[in-house]
Amino acid sequence: GDCEPLEGGAGGGTDGDGIGMQICVDDEESPLHNAELTVSSTEIARGNIVMANPDPPDEINGSTSEHFANDDGYVSTDAQSRKRKLANYYPDDLVSLTHLHEPAVVHCLRKRYEMNQIYTSTGPTLLAINPFKTLRGLYSEDAMQRYYERGERGPADDDGGDNNENYLTPHVYGLADRTYRDMMVSLELVGGGGRRLAANSDIKVDQSVIISGESGAGKTVSTKFIMQYLAALSKRSSGETSSGDSSADASNKSDIEQQVLQSNPILESFGNARTIRNDNSSRFGKYVQIQFSHRGALVGASIETYLLEKVRIITQSPGERNFHVFYECLQGGLDDDELEKHFLSDFTAEDFRITSCSGTYDRRDGILDEETFADMIGAFDTMGFSAEERADVMAVTCALLHLSNLTLLAVSADESEIDKSNNHLEPALSLLGLTVENLNRGLCYFAIQAGREHHTRSLSKEKSEK
């Protein structure tokens, strides 16, 4: 409604500490319709009273299902027109809000979310809201092509005007494209000399993307989409600038791009788990470094992981699971011959301590463990794991299942040993290639180094079990 400032003071209707405001409510749906309210300057200063941004008129607003892409990714011409007009009320960039405060930001994000617009910019930062459903078409090849073409045209062709058919809304592909092109522009400015020459100038060639958020926000998926887009740009760069390369060189570049993308299934199997809030929660942090040539072709990558939640191996809260790989092995991943080879033919996830302590064995997101296991095995092949290396990885993984069921016996108050009658001992020793003496020394003893002297001491049963 209309607002009129009031002078502060004892008789001014405020709390006497400054300028207040008299508000005339014009809202037929409100019980305060036509009422005149006085708001003190203190309440305004505290942020308890904020100015709302205008809502769009009915002729523009319409039904939310018609605004933007529906679940099938279809966008009508009329919806495109409404989308551009609604940008004045629920802008793609929160900086464009007339009144920028927390309620206005939340309201704008909510309205955009209702219209399947899960991406919103706030300056150079991209906000993403997990849609908890598949938005088909949002990450299609066509979508990737549109953002690539927008990047080729440059920002001048994307001003967001009502009549600009080339305008594209914020997207993780747009962020990846801008990052890549900023790197390429910087390389051109240093004459293609790369990081070594850039180190002697004020031009920053390297680009960084920080992906953060709470559990279930979509960090893992966003990382995969960025890597997917960068790999696609690398293919375009290779095709456009390396037409004279031999078929072997082209195949090698393709292999590198696939290896960068195929690292994800392996990391997710061994580092992700079901939690209360998220069925595919990454229980570790990772730093992904992707290297490009001066022509923009992807030439390599390295991934460093840190802060792995190791305690999850031995205990999980109710409603949560251990790392995916254990259930993948036991619930359809390994065939009968592999199960027998790893001494698992007669066991299920309910039979091992590290997979049964929470009483939770399945996933709620509809993803099957046997399917993710197949993805992991395919990723092993793409990443160049030899058959022997893959067998060793699976042997250690299955050995952990058997080790979790071992029992210890108290020899004395401060000494213990492995229970040799335990049925899981021989499978664990066979898979790890250890003797019972070596395993017993590793579990029931600890070493102390004092200067040049080394001492070995035994552990009590309680300490060994920890």
Side-chain angles (χ1 to χ4, degrees):
D2 298 329
C3 300
E4 180 180 340
L6 296 175
E7 291 296 332
T14 68
D15 54 5
D17 59 352
I19 298 176
M21 183 176 292
Q22 187 171 354
I23 301 175
C24 304
V25 180
D26 183 13
D27 184 356
E28 295 182 356
E29 297 182 359
S30 171
L32 299 176
H33 180 54
N34 289 330
E36 294 186 2
L37 305 177
T38 300
V39 180
S40 71
S41 58
T42 301
E43 293 300 316
I44 297 174
R46 290 174 178 173
N48 295 333
I49 303 296
V50 294
M51 299 297 294
N53 292 284
D55 286 326
D58 293 339
E59 58 268 21
I60 297 178
N61 200 10
S63 60
T64 56
S65 62
E66 297 176 337
H67 288 161
F68 299 127
N70 58 23
D71 292 352
D72 295 322
Y74 173 74
V75 185
S76 66
T77 303
D78 180 60
Q80 290 283 2
S81 176
R82 289 182 178 179
K83 175 184 68 175
R84 291 189 291 270
K85 293 178 180 178
L86 278 170
N88 295 324
Y89 300 94
Y90 311 125
D92 293 334
D93 194 331
L94 295 176
V95 176
S96 302
L97 287 171
T98 304
H99 305 289
L100 186 60
H101 44 69
E102 183 177 347
V105 168
V106 173
H107 177 69
C108 181
L109 293 175
R110 180 184 293 114
K111 298 302 290 187
R112 291 177 59 80
Y113 182 83
E114 291 173 357
M115 297 181 286
N116 288 335
Q117 289 292 292
I118 64 171
Y119 291 112
T120 306
S121 296
T122 173
T125 304
L126 181 68
L127 303 179
I129 303 178
N130 193 336
F132 293 102
K133 62 182 178 181
T134 300
L135 297 177
R136 281 171 284 184
L138 186 61
Y139 305 105
S140 65
E141 291 289 338
D142 290 340
M144 194 178 295
Q145 177 68 21
R146 289 195 296 272
Y147 284 90
Y148 169 76
E149 292 175 350
R150 195 267 299 274
E152 289 290 292
R153 294 191 302 266
D157 195 42
D158 192 27
D159 61 7
D162 287 352
N163 298 318
N164 188 351
E165 296 297 331
N166 296 321
Y167 178 70
L168 294 174
T169 57
H171 197 290
V172 68
Y173 287 163
L175 174 67
D177 188 272
R178 185 173 69 250
T179 303
Y180 177 84
R181 296 184 190 280
D182 285 348
M183 176 189 69
M184 296 306 300
V185 168
S186 299
L187 280 173
E188 292 177 5
L189 291 175
V190 297
R195 297 169 65 188
R196 184 176 301 175
L197 183 57
N200 298 321
S201 71
D202 294 330
I203 301 173
K204 304 299 182 183
V205 174
D206 294 343
Q207 303 291 316
S208 298
V209 178
I210 300 176
I211 303 174
S212 64
E214 61 182 356
S215 179
K219 299 183 294 296
T220 299
V221 174
S222 295
T223 302
K224 289 192 287 188
F225 283 134
I226 289 177
M227 295 172 66
Q228 179 186 29
Y229 189 87
L230 293 176
L233 283 182
S234 173
K235 287 184 178 180
R236 291 180 181 275
S237 176
S238 299
E240 293 174 0
T241 63
S242 307
S243 58
D245 288 351
S246 66
S247 59
D249 291 338
S251 175
N252 182 56
K253 290 176 181 177
S254 177
D255 288 343
I256 293 175
E257 291 154 0
Q258 286 301 312
Q259 287 175 6
V260 170
L261 297 177
Q262 287 299 309
S263 62
N264 287 308
I266 300 174
L267 291 174
E268 289 185 16
S269 287
F270 285 91
N272 288 22
R274 168 180 167 173
T275 63
I276 295 296
R277 302 181 61 181
N278 182 7
D279 275 23
N280 192 35
S281 177
S282 298
R283 309 315 299 163
F284 64 98
K286 63 181 175 181
Y287 174 74
V288 183
Q289 186 178 65
I290 303 177
Q291 294 93 26
F292 294 87
S293 70
H294 67 281
R295 291 181 173 181
L298 197 157
V299 295
S302 64
I303 300 177
E304 297 180 17
T305 60
Y306 53 92
L307 298 178
L308 178 66
E309 188 186 24
K310 297 179 181 179
V311 69
R312 184 169 292 271
I313 288 285
I314 57 175
T315 182
Q316 308 94 44
S317 301
E320 299 191 353
R321 297 202 315 178
N322 209 321
F323 296 109
H324 292 326
V325 67
F326 298 116
Y327 305 91
E328 292 171 356
C329 291
L330 295 167
Q331 298 181 166
L334 297 176
D335 58 28
D336 292 341
D337 292 339
E338 288 289 317
L339 288 172
E340 183 176 357
K341 176 183 177 181
H342 296 96
F343 309 97
L344 296 174
S345 299
D346 300 327
F347 300 104
T348 67
E350 299 181 17
D351 298 318
F352 295 98
R353 292 179 184 174
I354 62 174
T355 54
S356 64
C357 60
S358 68
T360 303
Y361 308 99
D362 61 349
R363 294 178 60 163
R364 299 160 296 186
D365 55 6
I367 303 297
L368 300 178
D369 288 313
E370 57 185 294
E371 293 179 354
T372 53
F373 183 87
D375 292 339
M376 180 187 68
I377 296 301
F380 278 143
D381 294 335
T382 303
M383 296 293 291
F385 280 68
S386 66
E388 182 179 359
E389 289 172 331
R390 192 172 69 183
D392 288 343
V393 170
M394 298 314 302
V396 172
T397 301
C398 295
L400 287 174
L401 291 169
H402 292 290
L403 285 174
S404 72
N405 280 11
L406 294 183
T407 51
L408 301 175
L409 301 176
V411 177
S412 62
D414 57 357
E415 187 176 1
S416 61
E417 66 177 8
I418 295 175
D419 181 3
K420 296 181 176 62
S421 64
N422 189 295
N423 293 331
H424 293 275
L425 177 59
E426 285 303 322
L429 295 175
S430 176
L431 292 171
L432 294 175
L434 297 175
T435 64
V436 64
E437 289 77 15
N438 289 336
L439 183 60
N440 190 78
R441 180 167 293 273
L443 295 179
C444 301
Y445 292 82
F446 72 100
I448 300 176
Q449 181 177 352
R452 297 182 179 180
E453 297 182 356
H454 295 266
H455 302 277
T456 301
R457 297 188 58 180
S458 60
L459 292 170
S460 66
K461 178 177 179 293
E462 290 74 17
K463 291 183 178 180
S464 295
E465 288 175 341
K466 292 181 179 180

